[in-house]
Amino acid sequence: MATMIDTAAPLRPWIASYPEGIRWDTHIDTRPVHEQVLAACAKNPSATALDFLGHTTSFGDLAKKITAFAGALQRQFGVKKGSRVAIMLPNTPFYPIAYYGVLRAGGIVVNCNPLYTVHELAHITSNAGADVMITLDLAQIYEKAEKLVQAGHIKSVVLCHFPDALPLLKKVLYSVAKRKDLTRLGASPIRDRVTKFEDMIARHDTPDAVVIDAKKDIAVQQYTGGTTGIPKGALLTHANISANMSQINAWGDGLFLPRSTVVAVLPFFHIFAMTVCMNVPLSNGTRVVMLPRFELKALLNLLARTKANVLPAVPTLLNAIARAENVTPEQLASLEVCISGGAALPDEVRAAFAKKSKALLAEGYGLTEASPVVCCAALRKPSKPMSIGLPLPGTDIRFVGVDSGKLVGIGEDGELQVKGPQVMPGYFDNDEATAEAFTDGWLRTGDVGHMDEDGYVFLVDRIKDLIICSGFNVYPRIIEEALMTHDAVEETNVIGVPDAYRGEAPVAYVKLRDGETVTEDALKHFLADRLNKIEMPKQIIFKDALPKTLIGKLSKKELRTEYAQTRAKK
């Protein structure tokens, strides 16, 4: 099934800046992603689909396991159309099998971050109504599933045996040397609620057919907003997810076809990696090489072994590569394109990375509610510096005044709002939040920025991070960019704090590069020519490490709490 995008009415200055051969009004493929992946498996079953630390899975084998797992979910657990199934797995071959198996069975995937606390996981699973959770037998992860069952938040656990994901030699060595890291299922108080993943696959059950209405039926219930409040379940239809895949394929202009190899170091349970690192390449029959977490040495070894050429990343990962003295251009030589997402890409990180790699570094932008990609720099040629690029094919954007609520002109700052086939219908069981998320059918992103005359989009900051000093708007990102130009600064994060005179004032937290020293006064003197007096930080606080979210984005939440607690003690 394909949908033709309506090209009527809105002005779209970005179309004139599109790379040659890419059309905004391209056909959007909305076939369910599991159908596309299974079709890719049938087309070239002997090709390698997954590579995990050297253990490979062919597309043919992947299809067999997806189908068998889907059948077992239906037969053993009664999963049917609309059933919520929680997946709490790091990047391993188990994840795509579980993900596509749930969808093939008619279920809805509820992604759970294995690093979440039991309290956070309890909210997600109970809110979603997920009876079954698929997880790993690593003790530190399994213990959380165990507590969720004991508390009544989930009923059953499907357990994947981690050593089965490893190459034979590593499997043997791990089973001997790391046995203590694995849970002892026989001693588990919920052992009668646990079914082994490999036993489900071995049943070779054939799943019943499930008729999917791609535009209406939900594929993934992705929780978001946890850093600012109680996480909400964004409902992403099969068409939302497939549309974004189709848009990315069109924008990539062949980048994600089988000549490529995509690195999946970002976690699949995060929407960026789920779409860009897994769904897009696998639906094209393209190899995905996985790491369970980011470790610089492991990533370099992976590049040396696989010659992977596409690396989706977050800025902190790119910064780690760029700043590492022992990383050479030769070690990164296979990389052709790096796609930065998840957070703003500082210009200093871009420049430092360019000294290590000749790869085209393209910044993209998206949000969970848009499946997730909205804008991206061109993936075949350089784009304007500091821009998040152009809206993807089939995507409309506009900027609306934060205070006025009226459309703003070219170059004027306003809230970015989005329309497109990748945009969710709403949040699960939360009409109030859904209503707040949309204005006249446009998704409110909460991000402030503007568009230039060529249609390139530039973001300034988040509305919620805006600092109002003496009635003036101060954007933390402006201060952060200025601080990052100092040679001694490795990372920085700026928050707004209460101020008796100005109402609010910026405070900067800074992590220095190893071996570097600089005083607060010296940094403020450095900033004097780069910031106005209102933007100048009230205080610069040095820390050995800055808090990050679970995918590596710098987080302001913990810093606000820390500052408030410190202030309360005075």
Side-chain angles (χ1 to χ4, degrees):
M1 177 168 56
T3 302
M4 191 67 177
I5 299 298
D6 180 13
T7 60
L11 294 174
R12 302 182 177 110
W14 55 85
I15 294 179
S17 297
Y18 266 25
E20 186 178 355
I22 299 177
R23 294 177 56 87
W24 183 89
D25 59 346
T26 188
H27 283 280
I28 302 297
D29 189 346
T30 56
R31 288 175 298 150
V33 59
H34 62 279
E35 293 181 9
Q36 295 189 47
V37 169
L38 289 171
C41 292
K43 185 176 181 181
N44 196 357
S46 62
T48 298
L50 306 171
D51 180 316
F52 181 72
L53 304 176
H55 179 245
T56 61
T57 305
S58 69
F59 274 97
D61 195 32
L62 177 62
K64 291 176 183 176
K65 291 180 177 179
I66 290 169
T67 304
F69 191 66
L73 284 173
Q74 290 179 340
R75 300 286 182 276
Q76 293 185 260
F77 294 97
V79 171
K80 57 184 184 298
K81 189 172 175 177
S83 299
R84 266 79 175 172
V85 179
I87 300 179
M88 184 171 67
L89 291 169
N91 286 9
T92 57
F94 305 120
Y95 185 95
I97 295 166
Y99 178 92
Y100 299 122
V102 169
L103 297 182
R104 172 62 184 85
I108 297 171
V109 170
V110 179
N111 277 313
C112 295
N113 188 328
L115 296 180
Y116 273 171
T117 64
V118 173
H119 177 74
E120 291 169 316
L121 293 167
H123 166 72
I124 291 172
T125 52
S126 59
N127 179 260
D131 290 338
V132 181
M133 172 174 276
I134 306 161
T135 192
L136 208 55
D137 63 355
L138 291 177
Q140 62 182 10
I141 298 176
Y142 174 76
E143 287 168 3
K144 296 178 182 180
E146 197 173 57
K147 290 176 181 177
L148 292 171
V149 172
Q150 289 176 307
H153 297 299
I154 56 175
K155 295 178 181 177
S156 305
V157 171
V158 173
L159 198 61
C160 306
H161 186 45
F162 178 68
D164 286 347
L166 301 171
L168 182 58
L169 181 57
K170 289 182 180 179
K171 176 178 179 178
V172 173
L173 292 174
Y174 190 95
S175 299
V176 174
K178 297 282 189 177
R179 183 178 297 177
K180 64 180 185 303
D181 293 345
L182 300 173
T183 192
R184 293 174 56 214
L185 187 56
S188 174
I190 65 160
R191 57 188 176 276
D192 59 332
R193 304 279 194 93
V194 176
T195 302
K196 293 181 179 180
F197 176 88
E198 62 265 32
D199 291 345
M200 293 177 66
I201 298 294
R203 288 167 55 99
H204 300 295
D205 287 326
T206 300
D208 295 332
V210 180
V211 178
I212 299 293
D213 184 332
K215 289 187 177 181
K216 293 182 180 179
D217 291 337
I218 306 303
V220 176
Q221 188 163 314
Q222 189 79 8
Y223 281 79
T224 183
T227 58
T228 56
I230 298 173
K232 305 179 290 291
L235 297 172
L236 303 177
T237 67
H238 287 270
N240 290 153
I241 290 170
S242 296
N244 202 225
M245 292 161 51
S246 186
Q247 292 166 318
I248 293 166
N249 271 324
W251 193 247
D253 193 22
L255 178 64
F256 295 97
L257 294 180
R259 62 164 290 274
S260 288
T261 293
V262 178
V263 178
V265 63
L266 300 180
F268 289 143
F269 54 73
H270 187 269
I271 190 74
F272 179 24
M274 185 191 83
T275 296
V276 180
C277 299
M278 186 180 74
N279 284 341
V280 170
L282 291 181
S283 66
N284 282 309
T286 297
R287 179 173 62 151
V288 174
V289 292
M290 297 172 281
L291 285 176
R293 62 183 178 275
F294 171 63
E295 291 178 348
L296 185 55
K297 183 179 178 181
L299 177 59
L300 295 175
N301 289 340
L302 179 147
L303 293 176
R305 181 174 60 81
T306 67
K307 307 302 180 188
N309 64 317
V310 181
L311 174 64
V314 291
T316 48
L317 189 157
L318 295 168
N319 193 32
I321 295 172
R323 302 293 186 188
E325 294 181 0
N326 60 333
V327 175
T328 66
E330 290 74 23
Q331 291 172 299
L332 304 176
S334 69
L335 292 177
E336 296 176 15
V337 178
C338 296
I339 305 168
S340 178
L345 177 64
D347 198 40
E348 289 305 305
V349 173
R350 184 191 298 274
F353 187 81
K355 294 177 182 178
K356 291 286 180 72
S357 173
K358 294 181 180 179
L360 187 151
L361 177 52
E363 184 173 5
Y365 164 82
L367 61 164
T368 299
E369 292 85 349
S371 307
V373 187
V374 171
C375 295
C376 192
L379 298 178
R380 295 297 194 182
K381 67 176 187 177
S383 290
K384 290 190 178 184
M386 303 302 291
S387 169
I388 58 169
L390 306 164
L392 290 191
T395 303
D396 273 316
I397 67 168
R398 68 181 188 182
F399 287 91
V400 175
V402 175
D403 298 320
S404 69
K406 296 180 180 179
L407 292 178
V408 300
I410 295 295
E412 294 183 64
D413 284 339
E415 181 188 22
L416 171 60
Q417 299 184 354
V418 182
K419 262 188 181 180
Q422 72 272 49
V423 174
M424 69 167 189
Y427 295 110
F428 175 66
D429 198 25
N430 197 332
D431 292 341
E432 183 179 349
T434 299
E436 290 176 357
F438 290 90
T439 298
D440 300 328
W442 291 80
L443 175 67
R444 300 184 58 196
T445 68
D447 287 299
V448 178
H450 62 270
M451 182 191 301
D452 72 7
E453 64 280 1
D454 297 319
Y456 281 86
V457 180
F458 298 81
L459 293 185
V460 180
D461 227 317
R462 295 282 297 162
I463 289 177
K464 66 181 179 63
D465 293 334
L466 177 69
I467 305 168
I468 302 178
C469 300
S470 303
F472 293 93
N473 291 350
V474 172
Y475 295 101
R477 186 176 173 184
I478 301 296
I479 304 170
E480 291 161 359
E481 291 283 356
L483 280 164
M484 286 295 290
T485 62
H486 194 286
D487 290 339
V489 175
E490 180 174 325
E491 292 179 332
T492 183
N493 206 347
V494 174
I495 62 169
V497 303
D499 183 85
Y501 178 67
R502 294 188 284 175
E504 280 188 299
V507 166
Y509 285 82
V510 169
K511 178 184 183 297
L512 297 177
R513 297 180 66 180
D514 290 344
E516 297 284 354
T517 58
V518 65
T519 66
E520 180 180 7
D521 286 343
L523 262 186
K524 286 186 175 180
H525 180 74
F526 173 81
L527 293 173
D529 294 332
R530 293 165 172 80
L531 300 174
N532 63 45
K533 290 183 178 180
I534 294 174
E535 292 170 331
M536 180 63 68
K538 171 182 179 178
Q539 186 179 4
I540 297 176
I541 300 171
F542 297 96
K543 291 179 69 69
D544 293 335
L546 298 181
K548 296 181 175 68
T549 67
L550 297 171
I551 67 156
K553 293 195 298 185
L554 289 166
S555 175
K556 298 183 189 295
K557 178 182 177 183
E558 291 82 0
L559 295 178
R560 292 188 181 108
T561 301
E562 177 183 317
Y563 188 89
Q565 290 173 344
T566 303
R567 189 164 177 260
K569 292 176 182 178
K570 293 182 178 179

